[in-house]
Amino acid sequence: MDYNSESELSDSDKELQVAFAEGKLKPGLNTVEKLPKQLLNNVEGLKHKLADFTLNLPWIEKLVCVNDQAPLAPELAAQMLAHEHKRENQLKNNKKLPQFKPSDDPVLNDFKRETAFYRQAQAAVLEAIPKLKALSLPITRPDDYFAEMAKTDAHMQKIREHLMQKQQQQQRSERVKQLRQQRKEGKMLQLQTKLERQQEKKEMLDQVKKYRKEKRKQKDKKFGFGGKKKGSKINTKDSAAEISEYRRPHKKGTNNHNVKQKKNRPGKARRLKTKNKKH
Amino acid sequence: MVKVKKNLKRKRTESKNDDITPKELPAVRHSDEPIEKKRKWINKQRVLVFASRGINHRDRHLMEDLKKLMPHHKPEAKMERSKTLNVINEMCEMKNCNKAIMFEGRKKQDLYMWLSNIPNGPCVKFLVENISTMAELKLTGNCLRGSRPLLSFDPTFEKEPNYKLLKELLTQIFGIPKNHPKSQPFFDHVYTFTILDNRIWFRNFQILSEDGAVAEIGPRFVLNPVKIFSGSFGGVPLWENPFYMSPSKYRRKIQLESKNKYVNRLQQKASAEATRPGGDSYQLTPLEDIFKGNPLKKAQELSKNK
C-alpha cells in the first residue's frame, strides 16, 4: 500500500516536471494554467472587407467628420468646477452616501464624460458648418418653413414644463436657504445686542457704585466712621495744654461792644409826664 | 374593368454625369424634346429596421426613435425567433434594402443590435447598453424629422482596422443620403460616435447656433461590439471583442461576489466571537494591590492564606 501511494506521488511529480519544463507552471500555482482563449483578429480580412464595401462619395453625401473635442469653453469649465464642488459638499455632508475620491466618483465621471461628448459635437459643428457654407447650402431652417419635428409640440411643452418646475424648485430651495441664513444671522444679532445691553447696564451700575463710594468716603472723612467713641471728648494732656484757643477775660470798665449799653429808662414821674404830653 | 393608363409622356433619361455645375445649354432646342433629368439622389441607402420577438418596451421605443430619425428606413414586422438569421437577407432583398438594423432581445432585459450590409457583408453584432430614449425629459433638444445629421467620429476610429470598418458601416447606415425624397435640406443635428472603455457611445445633439452651441436630443445608447462577420448575417467571423463578457455571465459574476460577501461577513463575525477577550481581561497584573496599604499586614494575610 505504501509502495502504491509512492508510485502515484512520483507519477504526479513527473507530470509536474513536464508541465514546468513547458512553462505552464509558475511559482505559487499548484494547477496547470489554462492558456487564454485565442481571440479572432483577422486584420487582413478586415482591411479587405472594408475596401470591398467602402463608398467613395464626395463629403457632402456622407457628412463624416473625424474630430477631437473642442477646446473647453470657460463657462463650461466653470460649470464643471461648480459641479465638482457641489459633489464634494454632498459627500462631505452626508456620510451615509458611499464616499468616493473625486477621481473615482461615478457621478462626476458621468458629468465629465457627457461634457466630452458635448465638446466633440461642438467641434464637429465648428468643422462642418464652414464646409457647408462653402458649398452654399442652407443650414438653418427659415422661420416660415414648417415641417414635422422629431419630437412633437406636446412633448416639447412637457419638456418646457419640466424645466420650469425644476427652475422653480431650485428657486424655492435657494429662498429657503436664504431664509435659514437670515434667521441664523438674526439670532446672532439678537444675542449680540443682548450682550451689549448687559454690558451697558453693568457699566452704569458700576459708575453708580463708584459715585456712592466716593460720597461715603467724603462723609466719613467729614463725620467720622468707626473707631472708639468713648472718652473721645475727655481732655488729654495735650488738649489741656493747648492754648491756641485761649482768650484773655474781658477787662471791666473798658468800652467793649460785648458789654450791652445800658438803656436809660427815665423815672416814673418823667415817664408819666411824657405820657401826658403825648395826649 | 381595369383602366389602362396611357403613357402620354415620353420617359426622361437619367443623365450620367454627376457634377452639379450647370452646362451651357444649346442655342436651339425643340419644345417637345424632354429635358435631361438631373441625377441627384446618388447615395441610395435603404435600411430595414426591425426587431425579433421578445424585446422589451424600452428597446422598442429606442427602435421607434431611430426610425423617426431615419427617413431612409423601411419597417418590417417582428421576426419570429424560430427563423434563422439568414432569412433576413431575403427579407431585405424583398424590401429592396441594402442595409439592415436588427434588434434582438434576450431574457427581456438584454438587447443586441445587428448592423449589416446586404448582401455581401460585413455584419456586426453589438450589445446595446445604457439606453435612454428620446422621450426623456432631460433631453431638451429637437430637430426636423428627416434632416441630415452630421456624423462626428472620435479619432480612435481611424486607428484600428476593426474600428475603421465599424466607422464605414455606421456612416452608411446612420447617414441620411443627400437628396433623399423624405429628407429635409437643413442641417440641425449631429451624431457623435465616441470610443470609450472599448465601447461606442452614441449621442445625438441639436445644433442651436453656428458657433457651436448644442443641446441633446437623444436617444442615447452604448454599443459594445461583440463580433464582426465577413458575410451578412453569417460568414466567417473576422474579429472578436476580447473585453466582451456576456451580460448573463456578468450578472452571475456579481451574484457570486455578493454571495462571497455574505460568507465573508459570517466568517468575520464567527472569528470575532471566537477571539473575543474573556471576562477579567482588564485585570492585567493580578498582584498589583500587594503594595497598597500596610505591607506588613498584607504579608501576614498572605502567609495566613497559604
Side-chain angles (χ1 to χ4, degrees):
Chain A
M1 198 179 156
D2 258 342
Y3 176 78
N4 249 350
S5 73
E6 218 167 78
S7 77
E8 260 175 30
L9 201 86
S10 65
D11 253 15
S12 67
D13 267 359
K14 262 181 196 168
E15 271 175 20
L16 284 176
Q17 276 168 359
V18 168
F20 183 73
E22 280 174 4
K24 285 176 185 170
L25 268 184
K26 277 178 193 167
L29 279 175
N30 50 14
T31 53
V32 178
E33 193 186 26
K34 272 184 197 166
L35 285 173
K37 198 179 144 195
Q38 280 295 314
L39 287 161
L40 273 171
N41 191 6
N42 184 355
V43 177
E44 280 310 308
L46 284 169
K47 278 181 183 167
H48 185 74
K49 198 79 225 177
L50 176 63
D52 213 28
F53 88 107
T54 305
L55 288 174
N56 282 318
L57 291 168
W59 179 80
I60 187 65
E61 294 290 340
K62 288 180 157 188
L63 296 175
V64 173
C65 315
V66 177
N67 55 305
D68 225 331
Q69 294 163 18
L72 191 61
E75 63 261 25
L76 205 62
Q79 208 184 335
M80 228 153 144
L81 205 70
H83 191 81
E84 214 168 314
H85 279 304
K86 190 184 157 195
R87 212 28 217 165
E88 215 174 74
N89 270 341
Q90 260 178 359
L91 291 184
K92 219 196 308 178
N93 293 338
N94 194 349
K95 292 286 175 204
K96 276 179 192 167
L97 289 174
Q99 299 289 315
F100 289 106
K101 276 184 215 162
S103 57
D104 311 331
D105 189 349
V107 177
L108 214 58
N109 285 350
D110 268 7
F111 186 70
K112 274 182 190 163
R113 193 183 55 235
E114 291 307 322
T115 39
F117 298 151
Y118 182 88
R119 282 164 63 195
Q120 192 187 328
Q122 273 185 328
V125 170
L126 293 175
E127 189 189 314
I129 291 225
K131 278 189 191 174
L132 293 170
K133 275 193 173 166
L135 290 165
S136 62
L137 286 166
I139 292 161
T140 48
R141 174 174 62 120
D143 291 331
D144 56 351
Y145 184 98
F146 294 108
E148 197 180 356
M149 305 292 280
K151 290 178 186 174
T152 57
D153 283 350
H155 185 74
M156 289 312 282
Q157 188 59 33
K158 226 174 173 180
I159 288 174
R160 228 163 282 139
E161 272 168 20
H162 181 249
L163 272 179
M164 284 283 284
Q165 205 181 350
K166 235 177 164 180
Q167 220 169 16
Q168 274 175 353
Q169 251 171 7
Q170 207 170 6
Q171 275 177 355
R172 202 180 306 146
S173 81
E174 230 157 77
R175 210 183 308 141
V176 167
K177 221 183 261 177
Q178 229 172 22
L179 272 178
R180 211 176 288 148
Q181 185 65 23
Q182 272 179 359
R183 205 181 301 152
K184 216 174 176 181
E185 274 170 13
K187 253 183 188 171
M188 284 287 283
L189 210 72
Q190 222 176 353
L191 194 74
Q192 221 173 353
T193 46
K194 203 176 167 187
L195 282 175
E196 237 167 55
R197 269 184 205 154
Q198 272 179 351
Q199 186 69 20
E200 245 172 53
K201 196 176 169 186
K202 202 181 157 195
E203 264 171 26
M204 205 184 71
L205 282 176
D206 270 358
Q207 266 181 351
V208 168
K209 226 175 178 178
K210 223 175 169 183
Y211 176 74
R212 276 191 176 160
K213 214 173 180 180
E214 199 71 20
K215 214 171 172 186
R216 186 71 250 158
K217 262 187 185 168
Q218 271 184 351
K219 273 191 174 173
D220 285 350
K221 206 178 169 187
K222 200 171 176 184
F223 303 112
F225 177 78
K228 199 179 154 191
K229 287 184 190 74
K230 196 182 168 190
S232 64
K233 290 178 183 173
I234 298 174
N235 256 355
T236 58
K237 192 182 173 185
D238 292 327
S239 70
E242 171 126 334
I243 51 163
S244 58
E245 280 182 26
Y246 176 75
R247 268 193 197 137
R248 247 183 300 170
H250 186 67
K251 262 184 186 171
K252 271 182 185 171
T254 53
N255 197 6
N256 202 331
H257 60 89
N258 269 4
V259 179
K260 281 181 187 168
Q261 255 182 340
K262 222 179 177 179
K263 273 187 178 170
N264 284 336
R265 192 177 186 219
K268 194 157 186 178
R270 210 185 273 174
R271 274 188 279 153
L272 278 172
K273 219 180 170 177
T274 50
K275 213 177 177 180
N276 290 337
K277 256 185 189 174
K278 274 180 189 174
H279 290 287
Chain B
M1 285 284 283
V2 181
K3 268 189 184 174
V4 179
K5 199 180 166 190
K6 273 187 186 171
N7 199 0
L8 292 172
K9 280 183 184 172
R10 272 179 286 177
K11 233 184 182 181
R12 292 164 77 186
T13 52
E14 260 186 6
S15 77
K16 287 287 172 282
N17 52 339
D18 294 342
D19 54 342
I20 305 156
T21 48
K23 271 187 185 174
E24 213 174 301
L25 294 168
V28 183
R29 280 191 298 168
H30 292 289
S31 60
D32 55 348
E33 190 179 293
I35 331 153
E36 244 185 15
K37 190 173 155 191
K38 268 181 194 164
R39 194 166 155 239
K40 279 181 172 175
W41 181 16
I42 306 164
N43 183 16
K44 292 194 176 175
Q45 304 290 343
R46 295 186 190 87
V47 186
L48 193 74
V49 182
F50 68 108
S52 75
R53 216 161 264 290
I55 64 168
N56 65 14
H57 62 280
R58 195 202 274 129
D59 306 344
R60 196 180 65 242
H61 279 282
L62 174 70
M63 190 174 76
E64 293 306 321
D65 286 349
L66 284 182
K67 279 184 186 174
K68 255 180 219 168
L69 292 170
M70 294 163 71
H72 58 305
H73 88 272
K74 292 215 171 168
E76 176 62 77
K78 275 179 187 161
M79 198 179 77
E80 293 301 329
R81 276 158 169 273
S82 56
K83 284 180 182 167
T84 54
L85 291 172
N86 282 330
V87 180
I88 298 166
N89 291 329
E90 284 163 34
M91 281 159 64
C92 287
E93 212 172 301
M94 264 158 38
K95 285 258 178 178
N96 198 18
C97 291
N98 57 354
K99 297 281 177 307
I101 301 179
M102 208 272 270
F103 290 94
E104 191 185 352
R106 292 269 174 84
K107 295 184 174 179
K108 285 268 180 194
Q109 50 183 348
D110 308 319
L111 181 71
Y112 290 93
M113 185 201 260
W114 290 79
L115 299 182
S116 177
N117 180 32
I118 314 276
N120 297 325
C123 163
V124 191
K125 186 189 181 185
F126 294 104
L127 172 71
V128 188
E129 298 165 323
N130 286 352
I131 298 167
S132 300
T133 63
M134 219 153 67
E136 276 187 29
L137 293 177
K138 67 179 174 187
L139 305 171
T140 54
N142 198 1
C143 65
L144 281 170
R145 203 166 181 168
S147 63
R148 301 179 62 208
L150 306 172
L151 304 172
S152 163
F153 288 91
D154 184 323
T156 34
F157 271 103
E158 294 285 299
K159 279 174 191 158
E160 283 175 48
N162 54 326
Y163 285 138
K164 272 186 191 170
L165 187 132
L166 287 178
K167 183 187 154 221
E168 184 59 30
L169 194 62
L170 288 168
T171 10
Q172 289 189 19
I173 290 179
F174 286 101
I176 297 174
K178 188 169 183 275
N179 291 319
H180 186 280
K182 282 184 197 165
S183 71
Q184 299 283 356
F186 308 108
F187 300 90
D188 62 354
H189 63 138
V190 195
Y191 291 167
T192 64
F193 296 92
T194 317
I195 292 173
L196 200 80
D197 195 22
N198 302 307
R199 289 161 171 83
I200 300 169
W201 299 67
F202 173 91
R203 295 285 183 273
N204 178 16
F205 290 97
Q206 180 192 2
I207 302 171
L208 293 171
S209 67
E210 288 171 18
D211 61 348
V214 293
E216 198 171 343
I217 304 170
R220 283 179 175 186
F221 52 85
V222 182
L223 297 172
N224 190 0
V226 183
K227 240 180 200 181
I228 300 177
F229 298 93
S230 68
S232 167
F233 294 104
V236 192
L238 293 174
W239 178 83
E240 212 176 338
N241 186 358
F243 305 102
Y244 172 72
M245 182 189 271
S246 81
S248 53
K249 209 172 177 182
Y250 178 69
R251 282 193 292 267
R252 181 160 168 68
K253 192 182 136 202
I254 284 178
Q255 224 172 12
L256 274 175
E257 270 170 16
S258 71
K259 178 198 132 198
N260 287 344
K261 212 162 115 187
Y262 175 67
V263 171
N264 275 349
R265 207 172 65 220
L266 281 192
Q267 278 175 352
Q268 247 174 13
K269 265 187 184 172
S271 71
E273 197 62 39
T275 56
R276 201 187 205 165
D280 52 354
S281 63
Y282 52 86
Q283 217 171 8
L284 293 173
T285 45
L287 298 175
E288 200 182 26
D289 56 346
I290 205 158
F291 296 112
K292 274 179 186 168
N294 194 350
L296 199 70
K297 264 186 189 173
K298 271 270 155 68
Q300 276 170 353
E301 263 176 42
L302 278 176
S303 60
K304 232 184 243 174
N305 285 345
K306 268 186 182 177

